[in-house]
């Protein structure tokens, strides 16, 4: 028999992190929570007399699958946060009713069957599982091997970007840029001739006008261009200095669109 | 406590995963919901294995894991391909299948 | 020579295609090619005739196998020709008269820019007509039957730049189609009954069929014959068909094609022999038409239309004879041959008159042409005497025999048919004399710009040859029953029957009536002045002049209900058939429109649907289990 304490511990260890799937906003948080779920499930397997499967669960899911998820999250942008505001009409209600209905139906179905569990648990030792895997299910194992290889090749093919044109040399690229009207010389550093040498203060040209592109775009993207704001504004258009109070130096609100990403 | 309790637990996890697939717009999160559903099914299989006293349920769960691993590889590759093409992984964006 | 009879069809057909395909470069010599093709058919036909004459009477039948035509499981049919006395008679008539008319047309159509096309059509007609009479099965006969219909249509509408001529061609075509339906139904009945369409097979099995079936076949064949031969009730097209050039009227609508119906009946004698009812209907149709045509002929002022009415009436005589059964078959064909000569001759005469009178056809504008056109006058006069039945001219030998045969029999029939034929002879004498006197005698009533002159020799020679035939052919063929003996293998030998009146009495009565008719016509149109404008008609004249209101009747009985039926059907088609089809399409489209909402492209909506489906499935299982 299984001790209730153990069961309820496992239940808490799995259900509570799983709920993050519904309520957490950051994908990274969810992924880490799911790792917790996987560990809880591994414990459940061991409890149910499947130690081999428990170990495999940890190795495959926490070690491989969830790490893969995290890799992909890094690739597509770890900062992506999702607004929980629903955009499809009625989707939330459909989801709630559908999920609850399914739960009720399944629980009703399960409660109807009354199994007397076997007295002694099964032996889920690796050798016992291996005996079965490589005797009765050997064909399935072979097919699954083929499937894994196919999946690996498929993933390679899908993420591979074929080169359509020959690689262009640095010289060619440079010539192209100049022909397109780019400035042949380096951009001025920010702060050059300016009255303030912070990174977010644009350089001044010989006429004393600010050169916007001297400030890194990264700063703009990160909304970190505020420190020299005062100076910038003064240089660009003196009238704005009065319009902007000095105390208005604050982080601008992120727009809703950025939030949605 | 009967191993049957784990089946109920599997139902709860499965429903949470399903709701996540329905509600979340981030493809990766929805995908994790799918993974949770698969694991819930696995839990039920292992519980049944314990109830029936045979090891076949565990073997079946093992197979599910292997297939799920393959599925994750391909699925994540698809997500990356989509992200490259459209700079987003929102499930609401590629509505080109609209009839 | 007998095995070469296929040339009879092939030569004119090839010539026709050559003329049509060669285009304008054949304009210079095309008409002579047409004449040569037609003359070739006469030479071949005459050779076949001589060879057939050299055989015993019993073996005068020669089948020429051409090729296997239709090879089906049920229907095996070879295309073959049947050369026997009946078909050779027609071959000679068609090729001889045809050649003369080809010759005549060379001059008559001289100034027509499309003379070459005209000869192509004439050759096509000759080929089709010969195929019709030589075919050894009803199906092959039908090919020729349709071929002459086509040629007739093309030639009636030859001057189709005039809308009314094109309409006349269409009318002839449509009315002929009605008759064709009869032939098709007859063929269907034959195939269902005998499993074959060949003459030999059908006639061999004819005794096994029930009388009702045979009557049905006979009546449908009669429908076909009435369509082609302009018999009541399908006679309306013949008068309008005079829109075609006069040689066409002479060849197709007097001498040959219109007699195809008589040929069909006589050819099917084996069927008609066994069905009294169908024969009676044939005779009745013939008797009715002969009177109808004669009465119409009395009122017409258009020379060609009067001749057309006369043709109708004379074919009525042939039909009557054919309907009398074995007694009359030979005389029907005999009259057909002599009629082919004298009526073609008269049509050519009419053409010659028109040629000299700048295409004037109104007889009230003729008169006193005998001095201006001596040859035409003489040849036309011989034809006139022949159709009147004045001895010893051709018509006397053939028509009198029909009148005599009509009096043969028992009960009321000989009296009705005999009297109809007798009265018809009197009426014929009147209207033909009226035509003759109005045209050639009396005072000249020409319009001012007309200077009648005799036609060139190319036109007069055929007229003279036909006139010789009109004068002497009857006596030549009737002497010693030459013609009936010759046809005996086909029509069967008949014992002599005594008419209900004795022959001399009938002959006297006929000649008396003819004389009365001629005298009345002379008094009214020969001696007296003929007004150039038709006087206000009495009701009877009006009726006759309007072809017994045939067109109005057709319009009221067939055309208008037909139009309404068509409109109803079109409406029904649009509303019911199209409605059902379009409704289905619209329904599917609407269904698709509503189903489209589910195809939102939103993956999560699809997932929701999957979840609902899953829940439904579980519910089904759970509730099924509980």
């Amino acid at each position: 028999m299984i001790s209730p304490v153990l069961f309820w511990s496992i239940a808490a260890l799995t259900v509570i992190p799983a709920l993050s799937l519904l309520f957490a906003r950051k994908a990274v948080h969810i992924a880490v929570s799911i790792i917790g779920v996987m560990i809880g499930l591994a414990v459940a397997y061991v409890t149910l007399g499947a130690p081999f499967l428990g170990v495999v669960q940890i190795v495959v899911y926490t070690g491989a699958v969830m790490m893969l998820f995290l890799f992909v999250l890094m690739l597509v942008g770890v900062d992506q946060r999702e607004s929980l505001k629903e955009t499809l009409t009625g989707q939330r209600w459909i989801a709630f009713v559908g999920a609850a209905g399914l739960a009720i139906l399944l629980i009703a179905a399960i409660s109807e069957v009354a199994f007397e569990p076997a007295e002694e648990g099964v032996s889920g030792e690796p050798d016992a599982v291996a005996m079965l895997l490589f005797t009765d299910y050997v064909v399935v194992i072979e097919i699954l091997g083929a499937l894994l290889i196919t999946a690996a090749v498929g993933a390679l093919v899908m993420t591979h970007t074929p080169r359509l044109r020959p690689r262009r040399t640095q010289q060619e690229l440079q010539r192209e840029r100049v022909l397109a009207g780019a400035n042949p010389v380096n951009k001025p550093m920010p702060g050059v001739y300016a009255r303030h040498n912070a990174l977010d203060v644009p350089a001044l040209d010989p006429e004393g006008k600010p050169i916007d592109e001297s400030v890194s775009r990264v700063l703009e993207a990160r909304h970190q261009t505020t420190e020299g704001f005062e100076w910038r504004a003064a240089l660009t258009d003196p009238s704005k200095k009065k319009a902007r109070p000095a105390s208005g130096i604050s982080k601008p609100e992120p727009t809703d669109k950025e939030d949605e990403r | 406590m009967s191993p049957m309790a784990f089946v109920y637990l599997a139902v709860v996890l499965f429903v949470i995963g399903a709701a996540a697939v329905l509600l979340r717009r981030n493809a990766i999160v929805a995908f994790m919901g799918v993974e949770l559903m698969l694991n819930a099914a696995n839990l039920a299989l292992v519980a049944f294995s314990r109830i029936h006293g045979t090891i076949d349920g565990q073997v079946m769960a093992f197979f599910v894991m292997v297939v799920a691993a393959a599925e994750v590889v391909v699925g994540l590759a698809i997500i990356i391909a989509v992200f490259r093409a459209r700079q987003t992984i929102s499930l609401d964006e590629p509505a080109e299948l609209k009839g | 020579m007998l095995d070469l009879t296929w040339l009879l069809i092939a030569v004119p057909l090839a010539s026709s295609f050559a003329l049509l395909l060669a285009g304008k470069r054949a304009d210079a010599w095309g008409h002579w090619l047409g004449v040569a093709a037609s003359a070739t058919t006469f030479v071949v036909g005459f050779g076949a005739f001589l060879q057939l004459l050299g055989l015993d009477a019993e073996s005068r039948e020669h089948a020429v196998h051409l090729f296997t035509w239709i090879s089906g499981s049920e229907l095996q049919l070879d295309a073959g020709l049947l050369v026997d006395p009946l078909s050779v008679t027609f071959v000679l008539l068609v090729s001889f008269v045809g050649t003369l008319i080809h010759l005549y047309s060379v001059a008559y159509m001289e100034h027509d820019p499309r003379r070459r096309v005209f000869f192509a059509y004439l050759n096509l007609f000759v080929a089709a007509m010969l195929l019709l009479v030589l075919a050894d099965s009803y199906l092959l006969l039908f090919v020729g039957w349709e071929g002459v219909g086509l040629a007739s249509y093309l030639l009636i509408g030859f001057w189709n730049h005039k809308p009314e001529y094109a309409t006349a061609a269409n009318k002839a075509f449509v009315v002929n189609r009605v008759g064709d339906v009869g032939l098709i139904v007859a063929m269907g009945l034959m195939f269902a009954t005998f499993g074959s369409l060949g003459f030999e097979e059908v006639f061999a099995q004819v005794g096994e069929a029930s009388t009702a079936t045979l009557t049905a076949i006979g009546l449908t064949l009669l429908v076909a014959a009435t369509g082609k031969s302009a018999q009541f009730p399908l006679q309306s097209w013949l008068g309008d068909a005079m829109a075609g050039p006069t040689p066409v009227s002479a060849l197709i609508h007097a001498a040959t094609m219109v007699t195809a119906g008589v040929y069909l009946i006589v050819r099917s004698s084996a069927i008609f022999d066994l069905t009294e009812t169908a024969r009676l209907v044939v005779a009745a149709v013939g008797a009715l038409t002969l009177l109808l045509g004669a009465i119409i002929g009395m009122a017409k002022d258009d020379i060609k239309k009067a001749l057309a009415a006369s043709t109708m009436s004379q074919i009525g005589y042939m039909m009557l004879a054919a309907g009398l059964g074995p007694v009359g078959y030979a005389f029907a064909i005999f009259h057909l041959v002599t009629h082919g000569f004298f009526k073609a001759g008269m049509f050519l005469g009419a053409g010659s008159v028109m040629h000299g009178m700048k295409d004037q056809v109104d007889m009230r504008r003729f008169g006193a042409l005998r001095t201006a056109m001596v040859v035409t006058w003489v040849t036309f006069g011989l034809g006139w005497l022949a159709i009147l039945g004045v001895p010893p001219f051709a018509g006397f030998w053939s028509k009198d025999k029909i009148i005599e045969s009509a009096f043969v029999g028992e009960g009321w029939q000989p009296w009705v048919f005999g009297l109809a034929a007798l009265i018809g002879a009197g009426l014929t004498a009147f209207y033909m004399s009226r035509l003759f006197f109005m045209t050639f005698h009396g005072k000249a009533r020409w319009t001012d710009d007309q200077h009648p002159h005799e036609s060139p020799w190319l036109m007069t020679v055929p007229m003279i040859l036909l006139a010789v035939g009109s004068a002497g052919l009857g006596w030549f063929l009737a002497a010693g029953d030459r013609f009936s003996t010759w046809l005996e293998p086909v029509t069967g030998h008949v014992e002599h029957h005594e008419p209900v009146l004795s022959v001399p009495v009938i002959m006297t009565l006929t000649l008396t009536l003819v004389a009365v008719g001629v005298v009345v016509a002379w008094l009214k149109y020969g001696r007296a002045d003929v007004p150039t404008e038709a006087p206000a008609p009495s009701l009877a004249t009006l009726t006759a002049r309007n072809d017994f209101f045939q067109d109005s009747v057709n319009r009221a009985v067939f055309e208008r209900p037909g139009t309404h039926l068509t409109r109803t059907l079109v409406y029904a088609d649009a509303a019911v058939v199209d409605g059902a089809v379009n409704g289905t399409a619209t329904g599917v489209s609407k269904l698709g429109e509503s189903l489209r909402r589910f195809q939102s492209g939103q993956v999560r909506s699809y997932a929701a649907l999957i979840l609902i489906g899953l829940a439904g499935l579980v519910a089904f299982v759970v509730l099924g289990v509980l």
Side-chain angles (χ1 to χ4, degrees):
Chain A
M1 281 293 109
I2 297 146
S3 103
V5 178
L6 190 55
F7 172 75
W8 289 114
S9 309
I10 292 168
L13 190 53
T14 50
V15 173
I16 293 167
L19 286 174
S20 72
L21 269 173
L22 300 180
F23 302 112
R25 290 180 71 184
K26 283 209 167 190
V28 176
H29 296 168
I30 299 172
V32 174
S33 308
I34 296 296
I35 292 174
V37 177
M38 296 305 170
I39 293 171
L41 285 173
V43 175
Y45 293 167
V46 175
T47 313
L48 286 166
F52 171 69
L53 219 53
V55 174
V56 170
Q57 172 80 4
I58 292 198
V59 171
V60 171
Y61 272 100
T62 54
V65 171
M66 294 320 294
M67 289 309 119
L68 205 53
F69 268 101
L70 283 172
F71 275 140
V72 174
L73 275 174
M74 298 298 163
L75 268 176
V76 301
V78 76
D79 263 354
Q80 301 217 340
R81 272 172 304 183
E82 186 185 355
S83 131
L84 291 176
K85 201 177 160 201
E86 185 53 59
T87 46
L88 297 179
T89 23
Q91 178 75 5
R92 190 162 281 180
W93 283 106
I94 293 172
F96 180 75
V97 172
L102 189 66
I104 291 167
L105 282 166
L106 283 173
I107 287 169
I110 294 164
S111 61
E112 277 303 308
V113 289
F115 282 126
E116 198 50 46
E119 279 307 313
E120 46 195 82
V122 292
S123 163
E125 300 297 323
D127 51 353
V129 177
M131 275 309 283
L132 205 56
L133 275 180
F134 292 106
T135 53
D136 288 1
Y137 294 103
V138 68
V139 179
V140 185
I141 281 290
E142 294 292 335
I143 293 174
L144 285 178
L147 176 70
L148 278 176
I149 298 237
T150 314
V153 173
L156 278 176
V157 169
M158 239 177 294
T159 50
H160 178 71
T161 325
R163 174 168 296 286
L164 298 174
R165 297 185 204 87
R167 180 186 283 276
R168 288 182 296 179
T169 62
Q170 285 252 309
Q171 200 181 2
E172 285 171 336
L173 289 171
Q174 172 68 12
R175 188 166 293 151
E176 232 169 68
R177 259 182 248 134
V178 173
L179 280 176
N183 201 338
V185 297
N186 283 349
K187 282 194 272 185
M189 296 299 287
V192 174
Y193 294 129
R195 289 166 64 189
H196 193 286
N197 64 353
L199 278 178
D200 58 344
V201 175
L204 295 181
D205 64 5
E207 293 175 1
K209 285 187 181 160
I211 306 168
D212 274 342
E213 63 263 30
S214 65
V215 176
S216 168
R217 274 179 306 170
V218 177
L219 295 182
E220 297 269 0
R222 289 187 185 163
H223 313 291
Q224 288 173 341
T225 55
T226 51
E227 300 219 343
F229 183 84
E230 191 184 5
W231 300 100
R232 256 181 116 175
L235 287 168
T236 314
D237 186 1
S239 64
K240 274 190 181 171
K241 194 177 179 182
K242 287 167 194 166
R244 286 263 184 186
S247 59
I249 304 167
S250 64
K251 191 172 178 172
E253 286 295 312
T255 62
D256 203 281
K257 180 156 187 169
E258 281 161 340
D259 186 50
E260 272 189 36
R261 291 187 75 185
Chain B
M1 203 170 180
S2 160
M4 210 60 188
F6 282 98
V7 181
Y8 290 110
L9 178 60
V11 168
V12 172
L13 289 176
F14 183 89
V15 168
I16 291 173
V21 173
L22 262 58
L23 291 175
R24 301 309 292 255
R25 260 167 295 170
N26 188 324
I28 296 176
V29 177
F31 204 21
M32 284 194 270
V34 173
E35 287 302 310
L36 188 64
M37 287 159 81
L38 281 168
N39 273 289
N42 266 355
L43 181 59
L45 280 173
V46 174
F48 288 139
S49 165
R50 170 70 182 79
I51 292 167
H52 288 286
T54 58
I55 205 167
D56 296 74
Q58 293 182 20
V59 173
M60 214 52 69
F62 178 74
F63 291 152
V64 171
M65 276 182 198
V66 177
V67 175
E71 175 236 350
V72 164
V73 168
V74 177
L76 287 178
I78 291 175
I79 288 175
I80 288 179
V82 170
F83 179 73
R84 268 196 197 148
R86 336 180 121 253
Q87 308 301 317
T88 176
I89 51 169
S90 168
L91 287 177
D92 287 356
E93 287 289 327
E96 283 171 5
L97 293 174
K98 187 168 164 55
Chain C
M1 207 50 132
L2 284 177
D3 284 320
L4 287 177
T5 36
W6 60 273
L7 281 174
L8 289 172
I9 298 149
V11 169
L13 196 64
S15 158
S16 167
F17 279 116
L19 288 175
L20 284 176
L21 293 177
K24 282 196 169 23
R25 75 200 81 143
D27 275 348
W29 44 268
H31 44 283
W32 291 115
L33 176 65
V35 173
S38 184
T40 312
T41 61
F42 178 68
V43 171
V44 175
F46 198 71
F49 166 68
L50 288 180
Q51 203 173 348
L52 214 57
L53 210 57
L55 297 172
D56 295 336
E58 292 309 310
S59 54
R60 277 179 193 161
E61 189 179 314
H62 186 80
V64 184
H65 174 80
L66 294 181
F67 52 89
T68 303
W69 187 18
I70 295 168
S71 177
S73 58
E74 295 283 318
L75 179 62
Q76 294 286 344
L77 196 62
D78 291 342
L81 303 180
L82 177 67
V83 186
D84 67 357
L86 181 59
S87 55
V88 165
T89 307
F90 266 88
V91 167
L92 286 179
L93 176 70
V94 172
S95 58
F96 182 68
V97 177
T99 307
L100 289 182
I101 287 171
H102 272 73
L103 210 57
Y104 178 92
S105 306
V106 171
Y108 188 84
M109 300 296 284
E110 193 172 2
H111 302 296
D112 194 292
R114 289 167 69 225
R115 179 163 65 163
R116 169 185 56 82
V117 180
F118 180 80
F119 275 85
Y121 291 164
L122 271 190
N123 273 329
L124 177 67
F125 169 77
V126 169
M129 187 71 203
L130 292 175
L131 179 64
L132 194 164
V133 297
L134 282 167
D136 74 342
S137 66
Y138 281 99
L139 201 57
L140 197 59
L141 178 145
F142 187 66
V143 175
W145 189 271
E146 291 300 307
V148 293
L150 168 69
S152 160
Y153 165 78
L154 291 172
L155 286 167
I156 294 171
F158 187 72
W159 287 322
N160 54 13
H161 50 267
K162 291 190 186 170
E164 61 265 42
Y165 287 10
T167 311
N170 282 336
K171 186 176 178 184
F173 200 74
V174 170
V175 177
N176 267 295
R177 291 293 80 71
V178 178
D180 294 344
V181 171
L183 189 49
I184 291 172
V185 173
M187 285 197 289
L189 283 171
M190 278 181 223
F191 183 62
T193 316
F194 308 118
S196 171
L197 292 174
F199 290 147
E200 202 179 339
E201 294 88 346
V202 169
F203 299 154
Q205 301 172 63
V206 87
E208 298 159 20
S210 69
T211 314
T213 316
L214 289 175
T215 307
I217 294 175
L219 289 179
T220 44
L221 283 175
L222 175 66
V223 170
T226 54
K228 197 57 94 191
S229 293
Q231 298 294 291
F232 182 83
L234 297 177
Q235 81 278 26
S236 66
W237 64 274
L238 188 61
D240 290 349
M242 294 302 125
T246 310
V248 173
S249 310
L251 178 61
I252 300 182
H253 305 120
T256 53
M257 186 192 85
V258 285
T259 59
V262 181
Y263 169 80
L264 184 69
I265 303 251
V266 174
R267 180 54 89 190
S268 311
S269 57
I271 294 170
F272 283 94
D273 282 347
L274 296 178
T275 159
E276 191 85 25
T277 322
R279 260 200 342 256
L280 186 64
V281 178
V282 172
V285 166
L288 185 58
T289 314
L290 88 86
L291 290 177
L292 219 59
I295 293 168
I296 292 171
M298 291 194 296
K300 291 286 183 189
D301 286 336
D302 181 324
I303 184 168
K304 283 182 74 180
K305 293 209 166 160
L307 284 172
S310 157
T311 304
M312 218 164 95
S313 166
Q314 296 300 310
I315 296 171
Y317 270 110
M318 299 171 210
M319 277 290 182
L320 171 63
L324 293 173
V327 164
Y329 292 142
F331 300 134
I333 300 298
F334 188 16
H335 191 55
L336 195 157
V337 171
T338 55
H339 172 258
F341 273 82
F342 61 69
K343 185 55 65 64
M346 281 194 282
F347 259 114
L348 294 190
S352 174
V353 169
M354 285 161 62
H355 192 71
M357 299 285 283
K358 296 190 177 166
D359 287 335
Q360 175 67 270
V361 289
D362 188 357
M363 291 190 288
R364 294 186 184 276
R365 285 291 175 185
F366 293 161
L369 286 174
R370 66 179 182 280
T371 46
M373 303 179 168
V374 180
V375 180
T376 309
W377 175 57
V378 172
T379 53
F380 201 101
L382 287 173
W384 169 62
L385 291 171
I387 196 173
L388 255 50
V390 175
F393 299 101
F396 168 75
W397 303 99
S398 54
K399 199 159 76 176
D400 257 30
K401 286 289 184 192
I402 292 179
I403 296 171
E404 276 173 33
S405 305
F407 274 108
V408 172
E410 292 162 0
W412 54 271
Q413 293 159 14
W415 294 105
V416 172
F417 294 146
L419 283 177
L422 204 59
I423 294 168
L427 296 177
T428 307
F430 174 76
Y431 71 77
M432 284 312 295
S433 306
R434 169 176 178 269
L435 192 156
F436 186 69
F437 294 144
M438 275 174 96
T439 306
F440 293 102
H441 294 267
K443 283 182 189 148
R445 301 178 297 276
W446 313 332
T447 47
D448 297 336
D449 56 341
Q450 280 172 338
H451 311 284
H453 56 86
E454 186 54 273
S455 302
W457 66 271
L458 264 177
M459 288 167 70
T460 50
V461 167
M463 284 154 60
I464 293 166
L465 285 174
L466 287 173
V468 169
S470 315
L473 194 67
W475 167 80
F476 177 75
L477 291 179
D481 283 341
R482 265 195 203 127
F483 194 73
S484 349
T485 321
W486 159 252
L487 278 182
E488 230 164 52
V490 181
T491 57
H493 181 71
V494 187
E495 294 301 320
H496 186 68
H497 292 278
E498 270 309 312
V500 284
L501 294 171
S502 71
V503 175
V505 175
I506 296 173
M507 207 178 283
T508 316
L509 273 173
T510 314
L511 290 176
T512 313
L513 272 173
V514 167
V516 169
V518 173
V519 168
V520 172
W522 169 251
L523 291 176
K524 204 151 182 272
Y525 299 101
R527 208 181 57 182
D529 286 342
V530 179
T532 52
E533 292 299 321
S538 66
L539 185 64
T541 319
L542 190 70
T543 312
R545 200 173 281 166
N546 287 314
D547 303 337
F548 283 84
F549 302 112
Q550 167 81 20
D551 288 336
S552 313
V553 169
N554 280 350
R555 195 159 291 140
V557 177
F558 299 110
E559 188 185 319
R560 266 196 223 124
T563 315
H564 284 295
L565 180 67
T566 314
R567 273 193 207 135
T568 316
L569 286 178
V570 167
Y571 176 75
D573 183 50
V576 180
V577 181
D578 283 8
V581 174
N582 290 343
T584 313
T586 316
V588 171
S589 170
K590 286 272 159 59
L591 188 67
E593 285 285 329
S594 53
L595 285 178
R596 225 186 81 181
R597 289 159 189 247
F598 291 100
Q599 299 284 335
S600 58
Q602 296 294 347
V603 191
R604 294 187 299 133
S605 300
Y606 300 166
L609 286 174
I610 294 173
L611 184 73
I612 291 169
L614 178 65
L617 210 61
V618 172
F620 177 73
V621 172
V622 168
L623 295 177
V625 167
L626 294 182

